[in-house]
């Protein structure tokens, strides 16, 4: 499973999607739960507070540096809307429509001007999936965005076996050229190509290569400590909880409506019963907390939690509705295998409140994904899976990607519209929650920066 890349992208136009939904162009994907009151109330409250919200974000960005680019997977349960994953090396730019490109180019310009205004060269370093056609389209779109932002873009490979330039064929008949990296006197580039900025589209899950270490006088984006050798999902969601509480205080609301509660286990052994004691206790405690909130809001859904690898970018989850399920050794073996890629160690897990998704497109379960560059929402799409349930990960083989018009509607809400029926209002709400996740990532990177100055 390759994250946002997907295995079965669809070529629906926006009109095709709305035809399949049998609704007008302003219609939002259907929520199959009657419990839309809290989300509609949240949407209304957000729309009433647009000036205060945007000012709050401006003030936050005066104090914190946004990640260079981000994507956030959201879940809309009708009674709760929250991010469940935040990607600091997004690989879903191929799912953005051409209509979304102007915003992406403008945001890329703003980001580069802040970092290296004199920049003319950008070195883009992909991951190992350069033979995956969908990932190649993601790279193609990134090259297009930064070309139009005024940069010469070339691709450099971390594969030490690559000794000569290699041409990669694109599905549309175009080509990309992948070249071997050249390291000279603390600077990283290519033959006859010295970039000001190096953009990683590689989450470094396999480790930090020596060639990327101790790079001087160049901007490495995102920074190395954003990669999975150092990053932890639990740390990110601790930061998100902090951000969500601040935002909830601003709006006078319950932070739980936008925050997935979480726990953490730092020493886990899936091969022994004793090694799962921490997981079991955290699962039971989390289920108790969720039941209490469900009772408070009159929610009749059966709560569940998800167990994820804390230190891996994989999308595998273990869904648990009762702590007794963890007593099944075979289930645990299967669960462990699904949480990490083969060969990866699993010693740390995050136990997160499960947020179901009750959105559907053409009778298939869907979840929104919002894509950002710098501090701006530049687009989004729905990840759709016809064979998955509302409590399962949709990032799996068979998933489809349906682009929707986030580009305009995420920044232009329509005050006065009835909650729950306006696409611009719903997508603006999604953009706000995604930006909260991005702000949490900024908090996270500051807290984990190994070079940060510490003041008493």
């Amino acid at each position: 499973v390759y994250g946002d890349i997907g295995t079965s992208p669809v070529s629906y136009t926006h009109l095709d999607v709305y035809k399949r939904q049998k609704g007008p162009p302003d219609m939002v994907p259907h929520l199959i739960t009657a419990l839309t009151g809290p989300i509609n109330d949240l949407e209304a409250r957000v729309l009433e507070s647009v000036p205060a919200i945007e000012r709050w974000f401006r003030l936050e960005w005066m104090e914190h540096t946004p990640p260079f680019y981000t994507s956030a997977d959201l879940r809309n349960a009708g009674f709760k809307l929250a991010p469940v994953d935040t990607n600091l090396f997004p690989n879903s730019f191929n799912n953005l429509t051409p209509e979304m490109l102007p915003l992406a180019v403008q945001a890329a310009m703003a980001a580069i001007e802040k970092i290296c205004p004199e920049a003319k060269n950008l070195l883009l370093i992909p991951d190992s999936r350069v033979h995956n056609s969908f990932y190649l389209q993601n790279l193609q779109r990134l090259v297009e965005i930064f070309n139009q932002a005024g940069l010469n873009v070339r691709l450099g490979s971390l594969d030490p076996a690559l000794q000569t330039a290699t041409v990669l064929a694109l599905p549309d008949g175009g080509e990309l050229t992948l070249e071997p990296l050249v390291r000279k006197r603390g600077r990283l580039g290519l033959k006859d190509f010295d970039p000001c900025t190096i953009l990683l589209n590689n989450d470094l899950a396999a480790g930090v290569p020596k060639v990327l270490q101790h790079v001087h006088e160049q901007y490495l984006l995102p920074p190395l400590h954003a990669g999975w050798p150092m990053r932890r999902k639990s740390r990110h969601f601790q930061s998100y909880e902090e951000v969500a509480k601040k935002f909830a205080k601003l709006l006078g609301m319950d932070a739980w409506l936008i925050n997935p509660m979480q726990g953490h286990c730092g020493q886990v052994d899936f091969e022994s019963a004793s090694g799962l004691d921490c997981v079991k206790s955290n699962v039971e405690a989390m289920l108790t907390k969720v039941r209490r909130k469900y009772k408070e809001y009159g929610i009749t859904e059966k709560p569940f939690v998800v167990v994820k690898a804390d230190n891996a970018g994989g999308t595998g989850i273990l869904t648990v509705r009762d702590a007794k399920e963890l007593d099944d050794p075979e289930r645990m073996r299967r669960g462990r295998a699904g949480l990490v890629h083969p060969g990866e160690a699993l010693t740390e897990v995050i136990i997160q409140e499960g947020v179901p998704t009750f959105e559907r497109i053409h009778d298939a379960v869907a979840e929104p994904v919002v894509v950002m560059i710098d501090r701006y929402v530049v687009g989004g799409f729905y990840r759709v899976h016809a064979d998955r349930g509302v409590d399962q990960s949709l990032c799996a083989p068979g998933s489809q990607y349906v682009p929707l018009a986030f580009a305009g509607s995420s920044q232009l809400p329509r005050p006065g519209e009835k909650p729950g029926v306006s696409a611009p209002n719903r997508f603006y709400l999604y953009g706000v929650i995604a930006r909260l996740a991005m702000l949490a990532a900024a908090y996270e990177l500051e807290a984990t920066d190994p070079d940060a100055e510490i003041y008493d």
Side-chain angles (χ1 to χ4, degrees), residues 187-325:
R187 293 183 69 88
L188 185 63
L190 307 173
K191 183 180 179 182
D192 302 321
F193 188 77
D194 184 29
C196 169
T197 304
I198 301 163
L199 180 60
L200 292 174
N201 198 237
N202 184 321
D203 63 13
L204 306 176
V208 180
K210 187 176 180 180
V211 73
L212 292 181
Q213 298 174 23
H214 309 298
V215 172
H216 302 302
E217 299 176 357
Q218 290 173 298
Y219 295 93
L220 187 61
L221 304 167
L224 294 180
H225 67 280
W228 286 115
M230 288 145 283
R231 193 179 183 216
R232 296 294 181 270
K233 292 177 182 177
S234 56
R235 184 66 189 81
H236 172 75
F237 282 103
Q238 287 170 11
S239 296
Y240 182 79
E241 181 177 8
E242 180 182 353
V243 168
K245 286 180 177 178
K246 288 183 179 181
F247 184 78
K249 184 178 180 180
L250 175 73
L251 266 63
M253 54 175 274
D254 183 355
W256 177 77
L257 294 173
I258 58 172
N259 179 44
M261 297 184 289
Q262 63 138 354
H264 173 253
C265 290
Q267 294 293 328
V268 179
D269 179 5
F270 272 70
E271 303 301 324
S272 70
S274 61
L276 288 176
D277 287 345
C278 177
V279 179
K280 292 177 184 176
S281 62
N282 271 274
V283 164
E284 188 57 57
M286 183 61 66
L287 285 171
T288 299
K289 290 179 182 178
V290 178
R291 289 188 193 105
R292 192 177 299 128
K293 296 302 292 189
Y294 278 22
K295 183 177 181 180
E296 177 183 343
Y297 282 92
I299 297 165
T300 58
E301 296 294 325
K302 186 173 181 179
F304 66 99
V305 301
V306 294
V307 180
K308 305 177 184 178
D310 195 25
N311 60 334
T315 56
I317 66 171
L318 177 64
T319 302
V320 184
R321 295 185 177 275
D322 189 318
K324 294 179 181 178
E325 296 173 15

Side-chain angles (χ1 to χ4, degrees), residues 101-143:
L101 286 183
L103 272 181
V105 171
Q106 194 170 22
M109 286 179 174
I112 291 294
E113 285 171 5
K114 286 195 307 184
I115 295 163
C116 187
E118 72 277 10
K120 63 177 181 179
N121 294 331
L122 175 74
L123 174 61
L124 175 58
I125 298 182
D127 67 22
S128 60
R129 290 169 284 172
V130 292
H131 299 294
N132 180 299
S133 61
F134 308 124
Y135 183 67
L136 283 177
Q137 291 174 68
N138 166 69
L139 294 178
Q140 181 185 28
R141 181 58 56 81
L142 281 171
V143 170

Side-chain angles (χ1 to χ4, degrees), residues 11-23:
S11 58
Y12 302 151
T13 64
H14 298 163
L15 182 59
D16 289 331
V17 175
Y18 292 124
K19 282 180 178 177
R20 288 173 179 266
Q21 290 175 253
K22 298 183 175 64

